[in-house]
């Protein structure tokens, strides 16, 4: 057993891991929290990288902007992308990084063209290290998946 004092931090360095073995429990008591990675990117240069973890909030005021979603590290990784704006004539595009797809076939996610008055959201989970699977999208007609660059 290891006691961690109030205000202390357990840090897992790059390449390290915190493993809970079969039958083990990671218990978050009342008031405890698990923090998720959140990044905010605005008006991307072409192909700006999105982390494969947590939440990415993207915004564009140019004609078209594209972001590249990193390949999932493992099956079960969840990712949320929120688009909070777009230009009147362009779209915000999220491309999968090399070798990955959103549904096994398609590698581009386009948020709708025009002024986005309400945030558009898509949530995906990795079913493998090369495949994101859509589990939620906020608008049936506000986003589209494409298999080729249009």
């Amino acid at each position: 057993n290891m006691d961690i004092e109030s205000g202390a931090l357990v840090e897992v360095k790059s390449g390290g891991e915190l493993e809970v073995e079969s039958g083990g429990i990671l218990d978050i008591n009342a008031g405890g929290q698990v923090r998720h990675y959140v990044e905010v990117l605005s008006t991307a240069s072409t192909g700006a990288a999105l982390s494969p973890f947590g939440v990415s909030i993207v915004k564009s005021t140019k004609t078209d902007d594209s972001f590249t979603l990193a390949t999932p590290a493992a099956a079960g990784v969840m990712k949320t992308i929120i688009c909070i704006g777009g230009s009147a004539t362009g779209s915000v595009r999220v491309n999968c990084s090399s070798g990955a797809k959103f549904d096994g076939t398609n590698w581009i996610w386009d948020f709708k063209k025009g002024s986005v008055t309400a945030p558009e959201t898509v949530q995906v989970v990795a079913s493998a290290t090369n495949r994101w699977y859509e589990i939620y999208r906020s608008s049936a007609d506000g986003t589209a998946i494409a298999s080729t660059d249009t």
Side-chain angles (χ1 to χ4, degrees):
N1 288 340
M2 178 174 59
D3 290 326
I4 301 170
E5 300 295 325
S6 176
L9 173 71
V10 174
E11 183 176 1
V12 179
K13 302 266 184 193
S14 177
E17 63 181 45
L18 177 63
E19 183 176 325
V20 178
E21 293 183 3
S22 178
I25 297 172
L26 179 60
D27 192 6
I28 310 298
N29 293 319
Q33 60 181 302
V34 176
R35 294 186 190 178
H36 295 281
Y37 182 81
V38 177
E39 62 185 350
V40 178
L41 298 168
S42 181
T43 310
S45 56
T46 301
L50 299 180
S51 167
F53 305 104
V55 178
S56 293
I57 301 170
V58 296
K59 180 178 180 181
S60 172
T61 56
K62 299 189 315 186
T63 303
D64 288 299
D65 270 329
S66 66
F67 299 86
T68 301
L69 177 59
T71 303
V77 171
M78 292 185 72
K79 179 67 180 178
T80 301
I81 303 169
I82 302 169
C83 179
I84 60 172
S87 73
T89 59
S91 63
V92 175
R93 172 170 286 178
V94 176
N95 300 306
C96 283
S97 61
S98 179
K101 306 286 185 196
F102 279 114
D103 60 0
T105 304
N106 301 304
W107 56 275
I108 298 171
W109 191 280
D110 275 337
F111 289 91
K112 70 181 180 180
K113 293 184 187 305
S115 178
V116 178
T117 56
E120 294 282 342
T121 302
V122 62
Q123 189 171 39
V124 292
V125 64
S127 59
T129 57
N130 64 352
R131 184 172 179 176
W132 292 104
Y133 179 79
E134 175 192 323
I135 56 175
Y136 172 80
R137 78 170 110 161
S138 62
S139 174
D141 59 359
T143 55
I145 296 175
S147 59
T148 58
D149 198 358
T150 57

